Amino acid sequence: MSSYPPSSPAQPTTLRQRLAGLRGPAVPPRPLDARALAALAANPGCGRRALLDGAGVDKNALATALGSPAAFGQSQFAIVRGNSFEAKVKGDGGAELLRLVHAHLDPAAEPPGAGAHVPDLTAAGPEGRSARTALALREATAAKAWTLLDHPMLALEVAGSPAYLEPDAVVVHPDGRWTVVEIKSFPMIDGAADAAKVGAAARQAAVYVLALEKTAEKLAGAEVGHTVLLVCPKDFSNLPTASPVDIRRERSVTRRQLDRLTRVEELAATLPEGISFDPATRTAEELVEAVSAVDAAYAPECLAACELAFHCRDRARTTGAVTALGRSVRGELGALTTVEEALAAASGAGCAEDPTAAALHRAARLRAEALESAAGVGA
């Protein structure tokens, strides 16, 4: 008889182990921040980004290994200018910032005075700062007085792990309402700012609102406002001005996407066994194969928000996918998912029963007739 004990049955792989295998067992998970979570909400149909972010994969290192690196980040000049403007807005105990919140969001309340509270949120590590922020919110809500929390630390569970988020500011109103304040260095000209930049700021603020709601659920009398305050330089000066931004739609989209991200196990279950996105242990060809195993939803807007955008764009162009032409074109073409199919439909070779194909064919005929008529007039 063998002296070895009987082998135990194989233990099932947990989700945490599965995700660790995807990014590489020796690779720590890359933490999610508000900017990354907001980018998820901007493209909720992309399973590739949802899986990679849920697993904590370093997409920048992955994109570099794939040969399509993407450079992100502000210039040093923009960072200095942004920091200088934020310091100006929060100067003098946050008097100007509180004045803007009062004027735009709570004019019926008593104006904030010189004694508005600005608690010290210093603590060790993100967990300590998050706990100190929660305590400061509790104390400010009970005090029923204007309170400014400068760079608080919020915790939000994402895919089973805490993500630590740091908004520019949170203001507690005397009635117990909490308002997120986003301070941006792009200008607000004649009371309006660039729509794309405002949209990005709204999606980022929605992430902070979701995190605040988790804390507010535990406090009687606390309420998180769904209108945030966007503070920007006025016109071409360095003077602050502000505009309320309703983020209810962005909050709902972000909530749905985060719920989908927490079900990342379903996405991971569809992948072949042994697949990995670790550049240190996989060749470029293996990484391309691994990335291709996860469906993506590329759009030109991804170039400003995702490290893998250039790789996904190259793949979309190689396969002739109409997504490379933009979401609006993709929506108009319906069941026609490739440029080749669209051109075939325009030439009359498409399905006659498809209204999109019929419309393309008719448009092509009208264009040909117009060009022929113009050529005849020129002759």
Side-chain angles (χ1 to χ4, degrees):
M1 294 180 61
S2 170
S3 60
Y4 291 101
S7 59
S8 59
Q11 296 297 315
T13 302
T14 65
L15 176 59
R16 189 178 296 273
Q17 292 170 330
R18 176 64 166 148
L19 297 183
L22 291 178
R23 66 175 177 268
V27 180
R30 186 174 181 85
L32 286 168
D33 58 14
R35 192 179 297 273
L37 293 175
L40 276 172
N43 192 3
C46 186
R48 182 175 296 171
R49 173 146 199 169
L51 177 65
L52 295 177
D53 281 347
V57 174
D58 186 344
K59 297 195 301 299
N60 189 45
L62 179 59
T64 300
L66 290 169
S68 302
F72 285 95
Q74 293 178 303
S75 68
Q76 191 62 35
F77 172 78
I79 293 173
V80 171
R81 182 175 184 273
N83 290 340
S84 173
F85 178 68
E86 181 175 339
K88 180 179 181 66
V89 172
K90 293 179 178 178
D92 194 20
E96 179 62 13
L97 190 153
L98 290 170
R99 185 192 69 78
L100 290 170
V101 173
H102 174 263
H104 289 276
L105 297 180
D106 204 357
E110 182 180 350
H117 190 38
V118 184
D120 181 9
L121 303 179
T122 304
E127 297 90 347
R129 290 185 58 201
S130 175
R132 181 68 188 89
T133 295
L135 178 60
L137 287 168
R138 181 189 298 273
E139 293 172 344
T141 304
K144 298 185 181 301
W146 287 103
T147 304
L148 169 63
L149 275 66
D150 185 6
H151 283 289
M153 183 65 73
L154 310 176
L156 180 66
E157 185 173 303
V158 179
S161 300
Y164 293 100
L165 316 169
E166 188 177 5
D168 293 326
V170 171
V171 172
V172 180
H173 300 239
D175 61 0
R177 182 157 36 109
W178 302 349
T179 291
V180 172
V181 179
E182 277 288 277
I183 303 174
K184 299 297 184 183
S185 60
F186 55 80
M188 194 175 291
I189 301 173
D190 293 333
D194 181 87
K197 294 179 179 179
V198 172
R203 289 190 293 271
Q204 191 169 334
V207 177
Y208 299 137
V209 167
L210 287 171
L212 277 175
E213 286 177 342
K214 293 298 182 181
T215 303
E217 289 173 358
K218 306 171 186 176
L219 297 180
E223 176 191 355
V224 183
H226 290 166
T227 298
V228 304
L229 193 68
L230 177 63
V231 180
C232 300
K234 182 178 182 180
D235 299 326
F236 300 101
S237 70
N238 201 38
L239 299 175
T241 187
S243 176
V245 180
D246 189 328
I247 52 91
R248 283 176 293 183
R249 183 179 68 84
E250 289 80 5
R251 178 202 170 278
S252 297
V253 172
T254 304
R255 178 72 275 170
R256 288 196 299 271
Q257 182 63 353
L258 291 183
D259 289 341
R260 181 171 183 266
L261 190 60
T262 58
R263 297 194 298 271
V264 71
E265 185 174 10
E266 299 173 8
L267 294 171
T270 64
L271 300 178
E273 200 65 36
I275 199 170
S276 174
F277 302 100
D278 182 9
T281 61
R282 295 294 188 271
T283 65
E285 292 76 14
E286 290 174 326
L287 291 174
V288 168
E289 183 178 353
V291 170
S292 299
V294 191
D295 290 336
Y298 171 76
E301 293 85 351
C302 296
L303 295 172
C306 182
E307 294 88 340
L308 288 179
F310 289 100
H311 173 79
C312 296
R313 182 182 65 177
D314 291 343
R315 294 290 154 174
R317 288 175 173 176
T318 300
T319 59
V322 296
T323 52
L325 304 177
R327 291 195 180 103
S328 60
V329 176
R330 173 68 186 90
E332 292 288 343
L333 291 178
L336 305 175
T337 59
T338 67
V339 174
E340 184 179 357
E341 290 175 345
L343 293 176
S347 67
C351 177
E353 299 179 357
D354 184 351
T356 303
L360 280 174
H361 183 43
R362 181 170 182 273
R365 288 203 320 270
L366 292 175
R367 178 179 181 276
E369 291 171 4
L371 291 175
E372 184 178 350
S373 176
V377 172

